[in-house]
Amino acid sequence: MTSEGWLYIFTVMPLPPAHRPVDVRVPLAVKGRGTTWVLDHRFSADRRDTFDDGWGNLDQIASEVQVAPGTSVIEEQVRSILAANDSPDIGFDLSINPYRGCEHGCIYCYARPTHSYLNLSPGLDFETRIIAKVNAAEQLREALSSRRYEPKLLNIGSATDAYQPVERQLRITRSVIEVLQDHRHPFSIITKSAGVERDLDLIAPMAAARLAAVYVSITTLDAALARVMEPRAASPERRLRTIETLARAGVPVGVSVSPVIPFLNEPELERILQAAQAAGATTAFSIVLRLPWEVNPLFQNWLQQHFPERAERIMARVREMRGGKDNDGEFGSRMTGKGVWAQLLRQRFEKATHKLGLNRQRQELDLTQYRAVGASAAQASLF
């Protein structure tokens, strides 16, 4: 156990079966965690429910769950690190996620269901059992050195944050950026963490050469809301300072106001954009709340815990934007929603960004500077 509270477990995939406490149907909220619910994932062969046998067991279970669980980091040797994107809703072609799972614990995170493929819970396991792709840099170097590789728009951290707490020790994200620097390969980063400032010595020179841009996600300016919605991410004030630091270093920086949740952070939309622009952001984008797979019950349970008086109203408006459903995964509407309310939200965003001058100075990254270096490239030059 380190001073940061992480327990390092060194292993290789596949992962051992997860050890789970009894699945409490209405888990208690715990400070520092987005959820304490070890929700059964969609591939589970069986489901477990609690049963009160009259001896007070449920009270005992509830008291045990109140203790915030620690985080374990499991090392993984991956066969590849570049993930291709075939979605027309996303503005990049390739992505790199150095970690699976995210300790930030954002309750709305659309990446939570990916833990199901590891036989882990998208609930508590997602934010306490972090998979570190320790050979990410080596796999990236091999991919970029291949004579078959063609440079494409690449994003780091599109699913899980590349600068979550464990990155301070493992430095996987930094090693990935070092490889991209060697190959002069352009990239963008999206993060909620001030940790990106650590790597300005790499990012700033690449940004000056039109090879790097950073997007900072700010969902609310309300510190109290952020603490329960994104419990281990940087505070809103700290994220604004990160935008200022990046902009001062000459890095093109944008803000992501995502997800927009009706009647929760939605009233802050214009204020967030204004604060980000004042800090130095020059671009912005926004995505409405998505509730795929297991995120849906997790989010609705969280609403009942923290905002019971608004829960029904929030979900009614979500369904209004999703054609009467809790979620809509259809390309073309999954990021923006449908219907009158979604249109009004888009109009508000466009009006605010136009007024603030956002989305006018977006710097396109230069793919022409890419160079293949390494053993594979040298071998290719012989033929």
Side-chain angles (χ1 to χ4, degrees):
M1 183 73 70
T2 71
S3 59
E4 298 292 338
W6 293 310
L7 174 64
Y8 291 91
I9 303 174
F10 302 111
T11 186
V12 294
M13 300 301 279
L15 293 173
H19 173 70
R20 300 182 177 88
V22 176
D23 190 355
V24 182
R25 290 295 98 187
V26 186
L28 300 177
V30 171
K31 182 179 179 181
R33 291 299 180 192
T35 182
T36 57
W37 191 1
V38 188
L39 173 70
D40 292 315
H41 59 76
R42 60 191 181 279
F43 304 120
S44 297
D46 54 69
R47 298 182 62 87
R48 285 160 293 179
D49 291 285
T50 56
F51 174 74
D52 189 354
D53 61 2
W55 292 91
N57 288 348
L58 290 184
D59 292 337
Q60 179 182 354
I61 291 169
S63 65
E64 292 174 353
V65 173
Q66 290 185 65
V67 179
T71 301
S72 62
V73 180
I74 303 169
E75 291 195 349
E76 177 187 11
Q77 297 283 336
V78 295
R79 295 183 179 179
S80 63
I81 193 61
L82 292 174
N85 164 52
D86 58 359
S87 169
D89 301 303
I90 300 175
F92 54 84
D93 304 305
L94 298 171
S95 64
I96 295 176
N97 291 287
Y99 302 96
R100 301 189 192 198
C102 184
E103 196 175 359
H104 286 164
C106 304
I107 191 59
Y108 52 74
C109 182
Y110 60 82
R112 283 183 177 271
T114 61
H115 250 43
S116 300
Y117 297 110
L118 305 176
N119 194 31
L120 295 173
S121 170
L124 183 62
D125 288 346
F126 180 80
E127 51 192 276
T128 59
R129 295 169 69 90
I130 309 302
I131 316 302
K133 303 176 184 179
V134 292
N135 65 332
E138 290 81 358
Q139 289 297 327
L140 178 61
R141 191 178 301 278
E142 181 177 344
L144 298 188
S145 299
S146 170
R147 60 181 176 180
R148 296 185 298 273
Y149 179 78
E150 296 181 3
K152 298 179 180 180
L153 294 177
L154 185 154
N155 178 263
I156 301 174
S158 58
T160 55
D161 206 305
Y163 287 99
Q164 56 183 288
V166 69
E167 169 63 17
R168 290 199 295 266
Q169 276 67 41
L170 296 188
R171 300 167 72 88
I172 300 174
T173 300
R174 182 175 177 86
S175 68
V176 164
I177 296 175
E178 288 172 341
V179 174
L180 294 171
Q181 182 186 57
D182 290 343
H183 289 264
R184 297 190 65 78
H185 194 298
F187 66 94
S188 60
I189 298 172
I190 184 164
T191 182
K192 293 183 174 74
S193 175
V196 66
E197 297 176 14
R198 181 201 63 188
D199 294 339
L200 269 176
D201 61 315
L202 300 174
I203 298 171
M206 294 188 72
R210 294 187 297 128
L211 293 173
V214 177
Y215 297 86
V216 178
S217 176
I218 301 179
T219 54
T220 179
L221 300 178
D222 184 342
L225 175 58
R227 278 194 296 271
V228 296
M229 190 165 63
E230 308 157 338
R232 298 200 177 193
S235 69
E237 180 183 1
R238 185 66 183 89
R239 293 182 226 179
L240 287 170
R241 294 208 309 270
T242 295
I243 290 178
E244 185 177 357
T245 299
L246 291 166
R248 193 165 52 243
V251 178
V253 56
V255 61
S256 168
V257 189
S258 309
V260 176
I261 305 171
F263 308 121
L264 195 60
N265 68 339
E266 162 266 318
E268 299 182 71
L269 176 62
E270 290 82 359
R271 296 199 301 275
I272 295 171
L273 291 169
Q274 184 176 11
Q277 187 270 344
T282 58
T283 63
F285 69 90
S286 179
I287 299 172
V288 298
L289 176 68
R290 297 171 55 198
L291 297 174
W293 299 106
E294 295 92 345
V295 182
N296 188 16
L298 285 166
F299 180 78
Q300 292 201 51
N301 177 265
W302 178 85
L303 277 181
Q304 291 294 338
Q305 288 179 331
H306 297 281
F307 303 97
E309 74 288 351
R310 277 185 272 176
E312 185 176 346
R313 186 183 183 204
I314 289 171
M315 287 308 302
R317 187 52 57 85
V318 168
R319 295 181 186 111
E320 181 181 332
M321 292 192 296
R322 297 299 186 188
K325 300 179 291 186
D326 289 349
N327 187 62
D328 174 20
E330 182 181 347
F331 287 158
S333 63
R334 62 180 185 145
M335 302 295 190
T336 59
K338 302 175 181 177
V340 174
W341 204 84
Q343 293 175 4
L344 291 174
L345 193 60
R346 174 54 53 182
Q347 290 173 8
R348 285 174 54 191
F349 176 82
E350 292 177 350
K351 181 177 180 180
T353 53
H354 178 78
K355 179 180 178 180
L356 295 168
L358 293 168
N359 294 334
R360 293 184 179 182
Q361 302 178 35
R362 183 168 184 174
Q363 184 173 349
E364 296 296 330
L365 302 181
D366 185 5
L367 293 170
T368 65
Q369 297 184 50
Y370 163 77
R371 61 189 183 194
V373 295
S376 298
Q379 182 71 20
S381 66
L382 298 176
F383 299 95

